[in-house]
Amino acid sequence: MIKIAPSILSADFSKLGEEAKSVETADYLHFDVMDGVFVPNISIGLPVLESVRKATDMTLDVHLMIASPSKYAARFAAAGADIVVFHIEAEPEDEARRAIAAICGAGKRAGLAIKPGTPAETLLPYLETLSIVLVMTVEPGFGGQTFMPETLPKIALLRETIEKRSLHCEIEVDGGINPETAALCVKAGADVLVAGNDVFRSDDRAARISRLRSATAG
Ligand code: DX5
Ligand code: ZN
């Protein structure tokens, strides 16, 4: 079953509680954290996550696009994240492994993300320790960008490896997802689709969520 994860980066930040409620037919609520260092943009952080946590029971899928994520991963877990995903480009292996252990030790699901230029092979040594891997299908930093089809073979490689090793790790795609690109990603092996503009720029969010699901059915 394909999961849909609307990204609140594209929501109206003056009413995040209501915005979260408007997408409750989805599976995860995607929460993008940007620090202006790892990516050239600044978004939202811990206090906002605490508020959103109080406003919804949805699974909160936190995507850290920050430098030194191992310093903050446990705090995001404590602030209400259900899933904490950070970028492997942002940490050396020993720090990354420590951060994964800290997230799991807090009873949360851990994930690693890769930018479009990072090979999928970088993630392979970690798969056994992860609940989710996130393949960026645009350069991280902004919503509303155009999907990069050259990332599709990375999804396929991850799917093949996960099946071969009989793991339960989900594959999430993030950036430029609409009904057409969603279908390409699911065909390549993705099972969680992040969608910012496609869902939040519509007045009928539930209809957009259904549209994404039906575009990937069968
Ligand atoms: C971009 C973020 C995405 C973004 C996706 O760096 O990680 O989650 O919100 O937005 P759309 O779906 O509009 O490309
Ligand atoms: Zn994201």
Side-chain angles (χ1 to χ4, degrees):
M1 175 69 169
I2 297 304
K3 292 180 177 155
I4 310 295
S7 167
I8 57 166
L9 188 63
S10 299
D12 181 341
F13 283 2
S14 70
K15 46 173 184 174
L16 276 183
E18 279 170 53
E19 293 286 79
K21 291 231 173 324
S22 77
V23 296
E24 274 181 345
T25 57
D27 302 280
Y28 299 162
L29 186 63
H30 189 78
F31 188 99
D32 285 309
V33 180
M34 304 181 185
D35 66 350
V37 177
F38 183 74
V39 288
N41 198 7
I42 298 176
S43 60
I44 44 178
L46 288 160
V48 179
L49 180 62
E50 284 168 9
S51 296
V52 171
R53 177 71 292 168
K54 287 182 206 144
T56 180
D57 293 329
M58 286 181 81
T59 297
L60 294 182
D61 169 33
V62 173
H63 177 193
L64 299 179
M65 287 164 277
I66 62 173
S68 304
S70 63
K71 283 191 193 148
Y72 298 97
R75 290 178 66 188
F76 279 93
D82 296 292
I83 303 169
V84 181
V85 178
F86 64 93
H87 275 264
I88 193 58
E89 301 91 350
E91 287 294 9
E93 182 171 351
D94 55 340
E95 285 295 332
R97 291 204 182 274
R98 259 195 291 276
I100 293 165
I103 296 163
C104 297
K108 307 302 174 87
R109 289 185 252 167
L112 282 176
I114 49 172
K115 296 199 230 182
T118 303
E121 285 80 358
T122 314
L123 296 176
L124 302 188
Y126 299 93
L127 289 181
E128 277 75 5
T129 66
L130 301 174
S131 297
I132 192 160
V133 286
L134 186 160
V135 177
M136 288 298 310
T137 45
V138 300
E139 288 298 338
F142 301 90
Q145 301 182 74
T146 303
F147 179 80
M148 298 169 67
E150 57 270 39
T151 57
L152 289 168
K154 299 202 291 184
I155 301 166
L157 176 76
L158 289 164
R159 171 54 56 208
E160 192 190 315
T161 310
I162 287 167
E163 296 304 320
K164 217 182 280 170
R165 297 188 194 170
S166 304
L167 301 174
H168 294 290
C169 186
E170 293 184 323
I171 302 176
E172 181 171 39
V173 289
D174 185 5
I177 299 298
N178 57 40
E180 291 70 40
T181 57
L184 297 175
C185 290
V186 169
K187 200 164 163 229
D191 34 33
V192 183
L193 308 170
V194 175
N197 276 18
D198 188 75
V199 170
F200 279 106
R201 294 292 147 97
S202 164
D203 289 336
D204 191 347
R205 277 89 190 255
R208 287 311 295 178
I209 292 164
S210 305
R211 176 86 182 87
L212 284 170
R213 285 195 205 285
S214 57
T216 58

